Amino acid sequence: MKSLSLLLASLILSIVTLSLYTPVAAVLSTKSRWIIDESGKRVKLACVNWPSHLQPMVAEGLHKHPVDVISKSIVSRGFNCVRLTYATFMLTNESLASLTVKSSFESLNLTDALQGIGVHNPSLLYLTLIQAYQAVVSNLGENEVMVILDNHLTVPGWCCGYSDGNGFFGDKYFDPDVWIQGLQKMATSFHSVSNVVGMSLRNELRGPRQNVTNWYRYMQKGAEAIHTANPNVLVILSGLSFDNDLSFLSSRQVQLSFTRKLVFEVHWYSFSDSKPWSTLNTNQACAKTSGGFMGHAGFLLAKEWPLFMSEFGVDNRGVNDNDNRYLGCILAKLAELDLDWALWALQGSYYLREGKVDHGETFGVLSADWTSSQNTTVLQRIQALQKPFQGPGYANSPLHQKIFHPATALCVTQKSTHLLQLGPCDQSTAWRYTEEGNIKLRIGFSCIKVERVSEPVQLGVDCSREKWELVSASKMHLASMNTSEGNRLCLDVDRDGKTIVANPCNCLSDNHNCDPTSQWFKLVNSTNNFH
């Protein structure tokens, strides 16, 4: 029986190996701050994280559905990419690397999950862990989904703790030589797999040992090791302090033997800097954390280096006040900078997390049973940012602005001769914000005008006294003084949820409990008419 199982595993491995291809045209490189394909056109990474780094070392959810069903659920939600995590020991620890999927789950006493994999993905049971990982990558490729291989930690398990021994070079479980060996093995294993477009060197460097000197020393070595083994992939470098800090790059860039493959990654959650969200009003908190993000990472774009926000996300239950306030802020920044990104996370549950079987994931796109979306409203807001606003190959329209409403992730558009409403950004009106403070149609002379409080704003041609200013700390309140009442009014959304009106500017004071997001509008540069 054992020999039959081994024969079956060998046969399956041959099938997996032969099918490790995808029609995705996915040899990517960089040009200035953009990621581009071989034709020179921008490829915007709109990814979702899919963990495979916890104790079983198998992509989560395979006990719930066939891998192809999960891949198709990713595609159906508009994601073009998966950041697929792994633990170094899956490759470098002999006892773990030799485990099959079946033996891994048996060793953890995950009987129900093992039974579920046997029902939904029986062909994986007798594969080794790396072979099962390859099978997932292959299936994503068959569904035209790009993959970024993310080295999440060394010892499989939940990540991340400040002093967990996995945080920085020289820690108990972070031998630099073993780490490089793992990177080389992974890069070699996926050398000819065209939907593997990038490799992230290490997730969330952290801990008491972290320092800039060793960051340069080892990250440069790791980058060279990956590129030597697999010159096709993007090489993605994370920062310090849980990947919140790349500020040291402002004065010293990395020195590598190769070009046009380097990308930096950053993380931004509400808990990355939680104090502003819990103590300041929302405008102030957004301004402070956005400023911190730009100073620690966003500045790289001005230096023409690609930046990938490889983790962000919120509690989808809507019960975390900090998350609820942060979401509009980060969506506005993602739109403004038109960043590549990866949402945390796909999974609705884990096989085993921190000792708990079938642990739920409140940040997950999918529900606990992996059959539906956990929060369709949040997902729809994120989906609005899956298409690029600008970049190489998307200059089919002169530079203009979209007026993006983060609370809905819709954009202001002209619905009739004069009426303005919210609508999908890919169907929205092109605007221009002039030096005089007018907001005009990109083509023509009509501008947005305010007549009366709580009335719909209008398009008109007499713009001489119509001046719009950004008046709040968040720089997202668009206010005009030209009203018959003589008051300063801000753009707002009417109670119907779509008509653009002008109301007294709200939440400009220090009131922590005031929600300004109905009046938040971000002017986003665009050269793409989406058609």
PDB file of all heavy atoms in Angstrom, residues 52-70:
ATOM      1  N   SER A  52       0.495  30.327   3.498  1.00  0.00           N
ATOM      2  CA  SER A  52       0.896  28.920   3.464  1.00  0.00           C
ATOM      3  C   SER A  52       2.072  28.704   4.411  1.00  0.00           C
ATOM      4  O   SER A  52       2.832  27.752   4.253  1.00  0.00           O
ATOM      5  CB  SER A  52       1.296  28.528   2.029  1.00  0.00           C
ATOM      6  OG  SER A  52       1.547  27.145   1.930  1.00  0.00           O
ATOM      7  N   HIS A  53       2.200  29.594   5.412  1.00  0.00           N
ATOM      8  CA  HIS A  53       3.383  29.582   6.273  1.00  0.00           C
ATOM      9  C   HIS A  53       3.109  29.082   7.686  1.00  0.00           C
ATOM     10  O   HIS A  53       4.036  29.017   8.489  1.00  0.00           O
ATOM     11  CB  HIS A  53       3.959  31.000   6.361  1.00  0.00           C
ATOM     12  CG  HIS A  53       3.055  31.968   7.082  1.00  0.00           C
ATOM     13  ND1 HIS A  53       2.093  32.698   6.423  1.00  0.00           N
ATOM     14  CD2 HIS A  53       2.962  32.326   8.390  1.00  0.00           C
ATOM     15  CE1 HIS A  53       1.445  33.458   7.299  1.00  0.00           C
ATOM     16  NE2 HIS A  53       1.954  33.248   8.491  1.00  0.00           N
ATOM     17  N   LEU A  54       1.846  28.769   7.999  1.00  0.00           N
ATOM     18  CA  LEU A  54       1.561  28.315   9.354  1.00  0.00           C
ATOM     19  C   LEU A  54       1.967  26.855   9.525  1.00  0.00           C
ATOM     20  O   LEU A  54       2.510  26.238   8.601  1.00  0.00           O
ATOM     21  CB  LEU A  54       0.089  28.558   9.694  1.00  0.00           C
ATOM     22  CG  LEU A  54      -0.214  30.023  10.082  1.00  0.00           C
ATOM     23  CD1 LEU A  54      -0.398  30.899   8.858  1.00  0.00           C
ATOM     24  CD2 LEU A  54      -1.455  30.111  10.973  1.00  0.00           C
ATOM     25  N   GLN A  55       1.714  26.284  10.667  1.00  0.00           N
ATOM     26  CA  GLN A  55       2.302  24.984  11.025  1.00  0.00           C
ATOM     27  C   GLN A  55       2.082  23.864  10.001  1.00  0.00           C
ATOM     28  O   GLN A  55       3.008  23.098   9.738  1.00  0.00           O
ATOM     29  CB  GLN A  55       1.807  24.555  12.401  1.00  0.00           C
ATOM     30  CG  GLN A  55       2.478  25.331  13.533  1.00  0.00           C
ATOM     31  CD  GLN A  55       1.861  25.033  14.880  1.00  0.00           C
ATOM     32  OE1 GLN A  55       0.869  25.637  15.271  1.00  0.00           O
ATOM     33  NE2 GLN A  55       2.427  24.070  15.583  1.00  0.00           N
ATOM     34  N   PRO A  56       0.908  23.738   9.387  1.00  0.00           N
ATOM     35  CA  PRO A  56       0.775  22.664   8.384  1.00  0.00           C
ATOM     36  C   PRO A  56       1.602  22.904   7.131  1.00  0.00           C
ATOM     37  O   PRO A  56       1.898  21.971   6.395  1.00  0.00           O
ATOM     38  CB  PRO A  56      -0.723  22.682   8.061  1.00  0.00           C
ATOM     39  CG  PRO A  56      -1.371  23.313   9.244  1.00  0.00           C
ATOM     40  CD  PRO A  56      -0.397  24.350   9.709  1.00  0.00           C
ATOM     41  N   MET A  57       1.964  24.167   6.850  1.00  0.00           N
ATOM     42  CA  MET A  57       2.749  24.547   5.666  1.00  0.00           C
ATOM     43  C   MET A  57       2.049  24.181   4.363  1.00  0.00           C
ATOM     44  O   MET A  57       2.670  23.786   3.370  1.00  0.00           O
ATOM     45  CB  MET A  57       4.157  23.936   5.725  1.00  0.00           C
ATOM     46  CG  MET A  57       5.041  24.547   6.787  1.00  0.00           C
ATOM     47  SD  MET A  57       6.644  23.737   6.929  1.00  0.00           S
ATOM     48  CE  MET A  57       6.161  22.234   7.793  1.00  0.00           C
ATOM     49  N   VAL A  58       0.736  24.344   4.363  1.00  0.00           N
ATOM     50  CA  VAL A  58      -0.105  24.107   3.194  1.00  0.00           C
ATOM     51  C   VAL A  58      -1.014  25.326   3.040  1.00  0.00           C
ATOM     52  O   VAL A  58      -1.512  25.855   4.044  1.00  0.00           O
ATOM     53  CB  VAL A  58      -0.954  22.830   3.355  1.00  0.00           C
ATOM     54  CG1 VAL A  58      -1.941  22.666   2.203  1.00  0.00           C
ATOM     55  CG2 VAL A  58      -0.042  21.603   3.449  1.00  0.00           C
ATOM     56  N   ALA A  59      -1.236  25.746   1.818  1.00  0.00           N
ATOM     57  CA  ALA A  59      -2.106  26.891   1.575  1.00  0.00           C
ATOM     58  C   ALA A  59      -3.449  26.692   2.271  1.00  0.00           C
ATOM     59  O   ALA A  59      -4.075  25.634   2.150  1.00  0.00           O
ATOM     60  CB  ALA A  59      -2.313  27.083   0.073  1.00  0.00           C
ATOM     61  N   GLU A  60      -3.868  27.716   3.001  1.00  0.00           N
ATOM     62  CA  GLU A  60      -5.085  27.601   3.800  1.00  0.00           C
ATOM     63  C   GLU A  60      -6.316  27.343   2.923  1.00  0.00           C
ATOM     64  O   GLU A  60      -6.390  27.785   1.782  1.00  0.00           O
ATOM     65  CB  GLU A  60      -5.307  28.882   4.612  1.00  0.00           C
ATOM     66  CG  GLU A  60      -4.170  29.252   5.553  1.00  0.00           C
ATOM     67  CD  GLU A  60      -4.040  28.307   6.730  1.00  0.00           C
ATOM     68  OE1 GLU A  60      -5.014  27.604   7.053  1.00  0.00           O
ATOM     69  OE2 GLU A  60      -2.944  28.273   7.338  1.00  0.00           O
ATOM     70  N   GLY A  61      -7.273  26.608   3.491  1.00  0.00           N
ATOM     71  CA  GLY A  61      -8.583  26.451   2.869  1.00  0.00           C
ATOM     72  C   GLY A  61      -8.765  25.259   1.972  1.00  0.00           C
ATOM     73  O   GLY A  61      -9.871  25.046   1.452  1.00  0.00           O
ATOM     74  N   LEU A  62      -7.723  24.463   1.780  1.00  0.00           N
ATOM     75  CA  LEU A  62      -7.851  23.339   0.847  1.00  0.00           C
ATOM     76  C   LEU A  62      -8.697  22.211   1.402  1.00  0.00           C
ATOM     77  O   LEU A  62      -9.007  21.249   0.681  1.00  0.00           O
ATOM     78  CB  LEU A  62      -6.462  22.826   0.455  1.00  0.00           C
ATOM     79  CG  LEU A  62      -5.561  23.847  -0.242  1.00  0.00           C
ATOM     80  CD1 LEU A  62      -4.231  23.213  -0.630  1.00  0.00           C
ATOM     81  CD2 LEU A  62      -6.252  24.447  -1.463  1.00  0.00           C
ATOM     82  N   HIS A  63      -9.101  22.333   2.666  1.00  0.00           N
ATOM     83  CA  HIS A  63     -10.058  21.380   3.241  1.00  0.00           C
ATOM     84  C   HIS A  63     -11.491  21.839   3.028  1.00  0.00           C
ATOM     85  O   HIS A  63     -12.429  21.100   3.328  1.00  0.00           O
ATOM     86  CB  HIS A  63      -9.798  21.198   4.729  1.00  0.00           C
ATOM     87  CG  HIS A  63      -9.943  22.432   5.555  1.00  0.00           C
ATOM     88  ND1 HIS A  63      -9.528  23.680   5.130  1.00  0.00           N
ATOM     89  CD2 HIS A  63     -10.466  22.636   6.806  1.00  0.00           C
ATOM     90  CE1 HIS A  63      -9.771  24.576   6.060  1.00  0.00           C
ATOM     91  NE2 HIS A  63     -10.348  23.966   7.075  1.00  0.00           N
ATOM     92  N   LYS A  64     -11.654  23.049   2.500  1.00  0.00           N
ATOM     93  CA  LYS A  64     -12.991  23.607   2.290  1.00  0.00           C
ATOM     94  C   LYS A  64     -13.467  23.463   0.848  1.00  0.00           C
ATOM     95  O   LYS A  64     -14.649  23.225   0.594  1.00  0.00           O
ATOM     96  CB  LYS A  64     -13.004  25.091   2.663  1.00  0.00           C
ATOM     97  CG  LYS A  64     -12.569  25.405   4.098  1.00  0.00           C
ATOM     98  CD  LYS A  64     -13.634  25.065   5.111  1.00  0.00           C
ATOM     99  CE  LYS A  64     -13.247  25.571   6.488  1.00  0.00           C
ATOM    100  NZ  LYS A  64     -14.270  25.269   7.523  1.00  0.00           N
ATOM    101  N   HIS A  65     -12.531  23.636  -0.101  1.00  0.00           N
ATOM    102  CA  HIS A  65     -12.883  23.619  -1.524  1.00  0.00           C
ATOM    103  C   HIS A  65     -11.710  23.112  -2.339  1.00  0.00           C
ATOM    104  O   HIS A  65     -10.553  23.203  -1.902  1.00  0.00           O
ATOM    105  CB  HIS A  65     -13.246  25.026  -2.019  1.00  0.00           C
ATOM    106  CG  HIS A  65     -14.470  25.601  -1.408  1.00  0.00           C
ATOM    107  ND1 HIS A  65     -15.743  25.142  -1.676  1.00  0.00           N
ATOM    108  CD2 HIS A  65     -14.622  26.617  -0.520  1.00  0.00           C
ATOM    109  CE1 HIS A  65     -16.625  25.849  -0.993  1.00  0.00           C
ATOM    110  NE2 HIS A  65     -15.968  26.737  -0.282  1.00  0.00           N
ATOM    111  N   PRO A  66     -11.964  22.621  -3.559  1.00  0.00           N
ATOM    112  CA  PRO A  66     -10.861  22.308  -4.473  1.00  0.00           C
ATOM    113  C   PRO A  66     -10.039  23.558  -4.748  1.00  0.00           C
ATOM    114  O   PRO A  66     -10.563  24.676  -4.776  1.00  0.00           O
ATOM    115  CB  PRO A  66     -11.575  21.814  -5.738  1.00  0.00           C
ATOM    116  CG  PRO A  66     -12.904  21.334  -5.262  1.00  0.00           C
ATOM    117  CD  PRO A  66     -13.278  22.240  -4.125  1.00  0.00           C
ATOM    118  N   VAL A  67      -8.750  23.370  -4.969  1.00  0.00           N
ATOM    119  CA  VAL A  67      -7.869  24.513  -5.193  1.00  0.00           C
ATOM    120  C   VAL A  67      -8.352  25.343  -6.375  1.00  0.00           C
ATOM    121  O   VAL A  67      -8.259  26.582  -6.362  1.00  0.00           O
ATOM    122  CB  VAL A  67      -6.407  24.048  -5.381  1.00  0.00           C
ATOM    123  CG1 VAL A  67      -6.240  23.149  -6.589  1.00  0.00           C
ATOM    124  CG2 VAL A  67      -5.474  25.259  -5.478  1.00  0.00           C
ATOM    125  N   ASP A  68      -8.898  24.703  -7.399  1.00  0.00           N
ATOM    126  CA  ASP A  68      -9.359  25.445  -8.566  1.00  0.00           C
ATOM    127  C   ASP A  68     -10.551  26.338  -8.232  1.00  0.00           C
ATOM    128  O   ASP A  68     -10.695  27.430  -8.799  1.00  0.00           O
ATOM    129  CB  ASP A  68      -9.730  24.487  -9.698  1.00  0.00           C
ATOM    130  CG  ASP A  68      -9.948  25.208 -11.013  1.00  0.00           C
ATOM    131  OD1 ASP A  68      -8.989  25.856 -11.494  1.00  0.00           O
ATOM    132  OD2 ASP A  68     -11.072  25.143 -11.557  1.00  0.00           O
ATOM    133  N   VAL A  69     -11.388  25.911  -7.329  1.00  0.00           N
ATOM    134  CA  VAL A  69     -12.521  26.731  -6.902  1.00  0.00           C
ATOM    135  C   VAL A  69     -12.012  27.975  -6.177  1.00  0.00           C
ATOM    136  O   VAL A  69     -12.516  29.091  -6.382  1.00  0.00           O
ATOM    137  CB  VAL A  69     -13.471  25.920  -6.000  1.00  0.00           C
ATOM    138  CG1 VAL A  69     -14.524  26.823  -5.347  1.00  0.00           C
ATOM    139  CG2 VAL A  69     -14.155  24.832  -6.813  1.00  0.00           C
ATOM    140  N   ILE A  70     -11.010  27.791  -5.321  1.00  0.00           N
ATOM    141  CA  ILE A  70     -10.443  28.932  -4.597  1.00  0.00           C
ATOM    142  C   ILE A  70      -9.759  29.889  -5.574  1.00  0.00           C
ATOM    143  O   ILE A  70      -9.923  31.117  -5.474  1.00  0.00           O
ATOM    144  CB  ILE A  70      -9.468  28.450  -3.510  1.00  0.00           C
ATOM    145  CG1 ILE A  70     -10.216  27.596  -2.482  1.00  0.00           C
ATOM    146  CG2 ILE A  70      -8.796  29.636  -2.831  1.00  0.00           C
ATOM    147  CD1 ILE A  70      -9.320  26.959  -1.436  1.00  0.00           C
TER     148      ILE A  70
END
